[in-house]
Amino acid sequence: MPDQVDPTDAATPTPQADEHAEPQAPASRAGRNLPAALAVGLGLGLSLIAILLFVPKVFIGVAGVAVGVATWEVAKRLREADVLVPRIPLLVGGQAVFWLGWPWGARGVVGAFAATALVCMVWRLFDHGLNTAPKNFLRDTSIALFTLTWIPLLAAFSTLLLLEPDGNLRVLTFMILVVCSDVGGYVAGVLFGRHPMVPAISPKKSWEGFCGSLVFSVIGGLLTVTLLLEANSMIGVVLGVGLVVVATCGDLVESQIKRELGIKDMGTMLPGHGGIMDRLDSMLPSAFVSWLVLSALL
């Protein structure tokens, strides 16, 4: 989820202008190449809508690839900062956590998560051989388990949501609401943002942007829950408010991680957005909350 005025928290040096340099693509007040960001976002959005409406099971494969890439991006950035998380267990076990929700539901997810957590602990314990004690074992293992929870476990709830009755519409609903939150936050933050929300973590995220997210997301919740799910509109209000809160928190979590690592983005795969993880930061907790709210109230 992009920050409502500026999603980039890591300080970066500003080079002097070069009169011979090639002209750069125009950047928005959010510090991004806005045309590229819009084009990529629109393309991804239309593709996912088509998949969910016509071949919904394909969504599991697409999301699984995204989870794998995001896990690799985070593990790479961590190891660049000398945090030696066990990459192979995270990548392989993370895919197991995500995929085993399809045949075995929540039991498959929990079982794969516990097994991967144990493998990560043992892997880091002996990754320097039997005769060398590991350094920073507690730190590295804890961060590995955090990464396993943050990406594959939370993403697995999108699979569980998809497997519910009208699951493709439920997934589409939560994705629309996250987009509504992003758009509302961006518009209100750029136009009216004056009061920083959490300046120590994200200096340019504003309370005005947060209110814009709430307005857009609640309206989106009312429409999607009523028209797509044919359910009580008040469920849309609950879902809309809940997703704004967790999507914003998810964005702040990634902002703080990038701040501590001293980086701008987790990756460079998506022009105008950064890496895959930079697009999933708000989606991941939203998948869990959507599954929880819709499973309980529908």
Side-chain angles (χ1 to χ4, degrees):
M1 171 182 174
D3 285 348
Q4 290 144 359
V5 178
D6 185 357
T8 304
D9 297 319
T12 55
T14 302
Q16 295 182 347
D18 182 354
E19 63 180 358
H20 300 295
E22 294 183 5
Q24 300 296 314
S28 70
R29 285 182 58 188
R32 299 287 185 181
N33 182 340
L34 189 56
L38 289 174
V40 170
L42 184 61
L44 289 174
L46 292 176
S47 299
L48 289 173
I49 290 172
I51 288 171
L52 287 169
L53 291 179
F54 300 110
V55 281
K57 289 296 191 297
V58 173
F59 172 81
I60 299 176
V62 173
V65 171
V67 166
V69 174
T71 304
W72 178 81
E73 288 176 343
V74 172
K76 180 175 181 291
R77 289 299 198 179
L78 288 171
R79 291 180 74 91
E80 288 172 355
D82 202 32
V83 179
L84 303 181
V85 294
R87 287 180 292 186
I88 294 176
L90 274 179
L91 289 169
V92 176
Q95 289 297 295
V97 171
F98 180 81
W99 280 93
L100 292 185
W102 186 1
W104 292 304
R107 288 180 297 178
V109 172
V110 172
F113 178 85
T116 303
L118 290 173
V119 171
C120 285
M121 295 177 198
V122 175
W123 189 287
R124 185 66 186 89
L125 187 64
F126 297 119
D127 63 353
H128 283 80
L130 299 178
N131 298 319
T132 305
K135 295 181 180 179
N136 299 316
F137 171 79
L138 182 59
R139 181 201 67 178
D140 295 351
T141 304
S142 299
I143 293 176
L145 298 185
F146 168 81
T147 304
L148 184 67
T149 303
W150 186 29
I151 307 175
L153 180 61
L154 290 179
F157 286 96
S158 66
T159 298
L160 299 181
L161 189 63
L162 185 69
L163 298 176
E164 296 283 343
D166 296 324
N168 61 329
L169 299 181
R170 296 188 185 202
V171 173
L172 184 58
T173 293
F174 109 75
M175 294 182 68
I176 289 174
L177 293 196
V178 173
V179 171
C180 287
S181 177
D182 281 359
V183 172
Y186 177 83
V187 171
V190 168
L191 295 179
F192 310 111
R194 298 294 182 273
H195 300 88
M197 187 178 181
V198 192
I201 298 175
S202 183
K204 293 186 178 181
K205 184 180 290 298
S206 66
W207 283 109
E208 291 83 359
F210 182 76
C211 291
S213 291
L214 278 174
V215 171
F216 274 58
S217 191
V218 167
I219 293 174
L222 286 169
L223 294 175
T224 53
V225 169
T226 302
L227 299 177
L228 290 181
L229 303 182
E230 299 181 348
N232 191 314
S233 59
M234 289 300 101
I235 297 175
V237 174
V238 172
L239 187 61
V241 172
L243 291 197
V244 169
V245 172
V246 296
T248 301
C249 288
D251 185 29
L252 290 173
V253 166
E254 195 197 23
S255 292
Q256 179 60 27
I257 292 171
K258 291 190 291 187
R259 177 179 291 274
E260 292 190 17
L261 295 177
I263 60 175
K264 178 180 179 180
D265 295 313
M266 286 294 181
T268 58
M269 185 172 290
L270 301 177
H273 294 271
I276 295 293
M277 188 62 215
D278 297 299
R279 291 309 311 149
L280 294 183
D281 56 357
S282 55
M283 289 281 186
L284 293 170
S286 298
F288 164 68
V289 171
S290 299
W291 172 82
L292 187 65
V293 170
L294 294 179
S295 297
L297 299 182
L298 287 184

